[in-house]
Amino acid sequence: MDSSLTGITTTGTPHLGNYVGAIKPAIQLSKKFKSYLFLADYHSLIKVNDPDAVKESSMKIAATWLACGLDSKNSLFYRQSKVPQILELNWILSCMAPKGLLNRAHAYKAAVDLNKENKNDEDFGISHGLFSYPVLMSADILMFNPKSLVLEIKFPAALFTNPSSGPSLKTFSIFSSIDIASLISRGK
């Protein structure tokens, strides 16, 4: 069965960009595909260190999903931190992730470039969470598709899959709308 995955980082109040770029397209996809929609509260730790702010943001984003028409009968809607296996998988993938590849991840490269521009040490203010962000994204994606070969738009999570899985791997294709791109799993 085909499926889609969309998460929103819980770092603030939902805005028009969230609606146009993630919520509306994900709700539309949930009418066609098995959908996994989540509150990315572990991802928020890279930007927000206030647990109360993350909790408040989680509540606002969840309310927005529901107000915009999320049908829980067609979707699995969850908070990332309530699935402990995501962090377990994150650790396993971290042990296999090549550092050189993580060095080329877009968010890390952008932070390094900004530091160079400001004449700071290249890693000034960069946390391990930012550096390894693609690994957590991979864990999110692979959690519900453990035999998947993942082609992520900006970072190839495929490198973290088990090469011995061979032909049993599924592939992902990119679904594009005017302002969004989501991953669609092509099931057997």
Side-chain angles (χ1 to χ4, degrees):
M1 177 179 198
D2 291 347
S3 61
S4 68
L5 171 75
T6 302
I8 296 181
T9 305
T10 54
T11 54
T13 301
H15 50 75
L16 185 58
N18 294 128
Y19 175 73
V20 172
I23 295 170
K24 182 180 177 186
I27 290 172
Q28 290 170 341
L29 287 173
S30 73
K31 295 174 183 171
K32 299 177 187 176
F33 303 105
K34 180 178 180 180
S35 295
Y36 301 93
L37 310 168
F38 69 101
L39 301 169
D41 53 348
Y42 283 142
H43 287 284
S44 71
L45 297 175
I46 293 169
K47 296 178 184 175
V48 179
N49 294 319
D50 179 359
D52 291 334
V54 171
K55 183 178 179 181
E56 182 180 342
S57 177
S58 295
M59 298 301 282
K60 288 179 180 179
I61 292 170
T64 301
W65 278 100
L66 295 169
C68 290
L70 172 69
D71 182 356
S72 61
K73 293 175 187 168
N74 298 331
S75 308
L76 175 62
F77 183 51
Y78 61 97
R79 183 184 306 212
Q80 186 182 39
S81 62
K82 296 297 183 185
V83 184
Q85 295 86 350
I86 292 172
L87 283 188
E88 292 172 14
L89 182 56
N90 179 62
W91 173 251
I92 293 166
L93 297 176
S94 291
C95 291
M96 297 186 302
K99 181 185 177 293
L101 193 56
L102 293 175
N103 286 341
R104 295 188 295 276
H106 72 281
Y108 175 70
K109 280 178 44 177
V112 168
D113 289 345
L114 182 63
N115 280 336
K116 287 179 184 178
E117 184 180 311
N118 292 329
K119 301 192 184 331
N120 291 324
D121 178 81
E122 287 185 9
D123 288 325
F124 176 77
I126 297 175
S127 69
H128 182 265
L130 176 66
F131 178 73
S132 62
Y133 193 87
V135 179
L136 182 54
M137 286 182 1
S138 299
D140 291 325
I141 295 164
L142 294 173
M143 179 53 52
F144 295 103
N145 290 287
K147 295 182 179 178
S148 296
L149 171 66
V150 179
L151 303 175
E152 205 279 329
I153 297 163
K154 294 181 179 161
F155 190 83
L159 296 168
F160 305 132
T161 59
N162 184 347
S164 66
S165 297
S168 67
L169 297 175
K170 295 180 193 174
T171 59
F172 280 80
S173 63
I174 298 171
F175 170 87
S176 295
S177 182
I178 295 171
D179 297 312
I180 63 116
S182 295
L183 297 173
I184 306 293
S185 170
R186 297 292 173 203
K188 293 180 180 179

